[in-house]
């Protein structure tokens, strides 16, 4: 150093002291830094402060902003803060706090004949902050996006593992940022298309992705943390710890902006999830085939339907009971409406736009044609099962 050191030279002599003040200021003003280990504050963070102060003084001496190579350490530090989940605004606050301390040191050290020089240094400091802020923000954002992508992939992988094997490897749960629950519900979801998704002037892909993000956000708000899902715009699967399925349905209906069908299991331990998932997936299929209304559905709600689906041969023989009605569309429509309106004579007649007496006549004809008396419990049960089997078989592709 020369016999007449410059203002930046003189300040650089006390960078170790300034770095200590910076660390204390960070702890006092920036919440995230209060939670960092003391050894990290006194080691890594203090060392970064020293390096940044030395870089700032070098830039002041040379009257320039930092170059790309000189910003390598701030870039790497920003990525580490992103990995540690320190919020970006707090990271930037730390840099601003450090620059303020450096500027205060310059002001205190400046002699009377160096006051005009401070104006030049102020311009360089602003350039320095602009360059550092840009690099830190970009590096932080890139690292955060990478972490989010890794977590998202890990959560999907964990969801698949739980639903297929009932196993939640600790390492996978850690990568997913999930604390495993002792019990979960297997959930099969189905969403109605929104107005945006069917609007030819709107990108259905973008609208669908936005819908999925709203659904995930709603689930996270309900559960108080990240959730395990496999979703697309039509629905999908989830592994959730849900205390109130009805509240979940209401929240998801609002998030989707349309109808939502939730097929859910009881709370079970992870080993039982594969079986629970197969059941609720079947419930979702049946509610779609049978055009059941939006709502919360469980396996108990479709016990008869699942029983029929489990034996295709028996279901086929049941469906054949109504084969004689295929030539009589009026009679087929009558028996369908009769069951759909829960045997309400007036509602059924109104639906068919016929007189109730005509309905009575048609029902007698149905009994004659199929050979099963709808005036008896046995006949009604058998024809109802035949109608259900016919619907299940006729729309099996769904």
């Amino acid at each position: 150093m020369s016999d007449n050191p410059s203002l930046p030279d003189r300040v650089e002599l006390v960078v170790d002291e300034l770095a200590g003040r910076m660390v204390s200021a960070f702890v006092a003003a920036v919440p995230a830094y209060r939670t960092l280990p003391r050894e990290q504050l006194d080691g890594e963070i203090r060392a970064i402060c020293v390096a940044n102060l030395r870089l700032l003084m070098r830039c002041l001496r040379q009257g320039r902003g930092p170059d790309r190579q000189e910003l390598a350490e701030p870039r790497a530090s920003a990525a580490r803060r992103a990995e540690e989940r320190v919020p970006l605004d707090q990271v930037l606050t730390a840099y601003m706090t450090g620059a303020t301390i450096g500027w205060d040191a310059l002001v205190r050290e400046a002699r009377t004949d160096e006051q005009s020089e401070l104006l030049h240094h102020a311009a360089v400091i602003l350039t320095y902050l602009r360059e550092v802020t840009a690099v830190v923000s970009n590096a932080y954002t890139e690292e955060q996006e990478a972490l989010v992508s890794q977590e998202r992939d890990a959560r999907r992988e964990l969801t698949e593992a739980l639903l297929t094997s009932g196993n939640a490897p600790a390492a996978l749960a850690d990568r997913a940022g999930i604390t495993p629950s002792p019990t979960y519900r297997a959930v099969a979801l189905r969403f109605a298309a929104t107005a945006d998704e069917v609007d030819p002037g709107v990108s259905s892909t973008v609208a669908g992705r936005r819908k999925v993000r709203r659904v995930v956000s709603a689930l996270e708000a309900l559960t108080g943390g990240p959730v395990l899902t496999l979703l697309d715009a039509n629905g999908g699967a989830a592994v959730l710890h849900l205390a109130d399925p009805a509240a979940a349905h209401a929240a998801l209906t609002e998030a989707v902006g349309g109808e939502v069908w939730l097929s859910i299991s009881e709370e079970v331990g992870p080993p039982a999830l594969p079986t629970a998932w197969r059941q609720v997936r079947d419930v979702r299929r049946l509610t779609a085939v049978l055009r059941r209304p939006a709502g919360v559905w469980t396996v108990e709600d479709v016990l008869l339907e699942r029983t029929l689906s489990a034996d295709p041969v028996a279901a086929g023989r049941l469906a054949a009971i109504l084969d004689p009605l295929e030539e009589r569309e009026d009679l087929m429509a009558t028996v369908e409406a009769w069951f759909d309106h829960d045997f309400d004579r007036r509602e059924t007649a109104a639906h068919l736009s016929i007189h109730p007496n005509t309905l009575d006549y048609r029902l007698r004809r149905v009994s004659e044609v199929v050979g099963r008396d709808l005036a008896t419990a046995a006949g009604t049960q058998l024809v109802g099962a035949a109608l259900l089997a016919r619907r299940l078989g006729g729309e099996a592709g769904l």
Side-chain angles (χ1 to χ4, degrees):
M1 188 175 293
S2 68
D3 294 336
N4 185 25
S6 68
L7 177 55
D9 288 336
R10 299 198 305 275
V11 172
E12 189 168 0
L13 292 174
V14 294
V15 293
D16 287 331
E17 176 191 342
L18 295 176
R21 289 173 54 195
M22 285 183 181
V23 171
S24 297
F26 297 163
V27 172
V30 186
Y33 282 78
R34 296 173 200 155
T35 64
L36 296 180
R38 192 71 239 180
E39 57 85 15
Q40 184 179 10
L41 290 169
D42 293 337
E44 177 196 353
I45 303 301
R46 184 172 182 137
I48 292 171
C49 291
V50 169
N52 284 334
L53 281 167
R54 293 191 185 282
L55 172 58
L56 176 58
M57 296 306 132
R58 183 161 65 249
C59 289
L60 292 175
R61 282 194 299 270
Q62 299 174 7
R64 63 173 178 84
D67 61 32
R68 181 176 179 81
Q69 183 175 353
E70 289 171 324
L71 291 173
E73 178 51 38
R75 185 181 298 108
S77 176
R80 291 194 294 273
R81 299 296 84 79
E83 186 176 2
E84 294 164 355
R85 304 298 193 274
V86 178
L88 177 58
D89 66 311
Q90 296 186 28
V91 174
L92 295 177
T93 296
Y95 276 95
M96 298 303 172
T97 300
T100 299
I101 290 174
W103 171 252
D104 289 344
L106 287 165
V107 171
R108 288 196 308 272
E109 183 64 29
R111 299 188 299 261
T112 302
D113 62 341
E114 294 174 321
Q115 294 303 307
S116 61
E117 184 181 339
L118 282 175
L119 294 176
H120 176 69
H121 289 330
V124 174
I125 289 175
L126 289 175
T127 299
Y128 174 87
L129 283 175
R130 184 184 68 235
E131 298 296 327
V132 168
T133 298
V135 164
V136 166
S137 298
N138 288 337
Y140 184 101
T141 301
E142 289 174 1
E143 182 65 18
Q144 187 178 54
E145 288 176 350
L147 290 171
V148 168
S149 178
Q150 292 170 10
E151 283 188 347
R152 183 170 56 244
D153 290 345
R155 288 172 192 168
R156 292 180 66 87
E157 188 177 345
L158 182 57
T159 305
E160 290 177 350
L162 285 167
L163 293 178
T164 57
S165 70
N167 185 34
L172 182 56
D174 185 59
R175 281 198 292 118
I178 294 288
T179 300
S181 171
T183 61
Y184 290 104
R185 293 181 191 269
V187 183
L189 305 95
R190 182 162 64 93
F191 308 139
T194 64
D196 284 340
E197 289 177 279
V198 298
D199 186 337
V202 176
S203 169
S204 60
T205 300
V206 172
R209 287 174 180 169
R210 288 177 59 82
K211 180 168 72 174
V212 170
R213 285 197 293 270
R214 294 195 303 271
V215 166
V216 172
S217 295
L219 289 174
E220 289 176 341
L222 281 168
T223 60
V227 290
L228 299 174
T229 61
L230 293 168
L231 300 174
D232 59 28
N234 299 314
V239 177
L240 302 169
H241 183 65
L242 280 181
D244 189 346
H249 180 263
L252 293 183
T253 299
E254 182 178 356
V256 168
E259 293 182 318
V260 174
W261 290 259
L262 283 185
S263 303
I264 65 170
S265 74
E266 296 294 326
E267 291 272 353
V268 297
L273 279 171
T275 298
W277 167 240
R278 287 192 294 272
Q279 290 176 345
V280 298
R281 187 176 56 188
D282 200 31
V283 172
R284 179 178 61 187
R285 177 185 66 84
L286 290 169
T287 57
V289 167
L290 299 171
R291 297 185 176 88
R292 296 292 172 84
V296 179
W297 295 89
T298 68
V299 67
E300 284 76 15
D301 297 319
V302 289
L303 287 176
L304 176 60
E305 293 83 349
R306 292 193 74 230
T307 301
L308 286 175
S309 298
D311 190 343
V313 174
R317 295 183 66 178
L318 269 173
I321 290 175
L322 298 182
D323 284 353
L325 298 182
E326 289 183 352
E327 301 297 326
R328 295 291 306 273
E329 292 184 3
D330 58 332
L331 296 184
M332 182 65 81
T334 298
V335 75
E336 289 177 342
W338 177 241
F339 279 90
D340 287 344
H341 289 85
D342 201 19
F343 314 132
D344 187 298
R345 184 169 175 264
R346 293 191 180 278
E347 284 190 10
T348 304
H351 174 79
L352 295 170
S353 299
I354 60 176
H355 192 278
N357 290 340
T358 303
L359 171 64
D360 295 339
Y361 168 75
R362 287 188 182 182
L363 290 175
R364 288 195 297 272
R365 286 294 297 144
V366 169
S367 298
E368 293 169 0
V369 172
V370 301
R372 302 293 190 277
D373 189 354
L374 287 174
T376 66
T380 300
Q381 289 173 349
L382 196 60
V383 171
L387 181 61
L388 178 59
R390 191 177 185 86
R391 288 177 172 175
L392 290 173
E395 302 188 54
L398 294 177

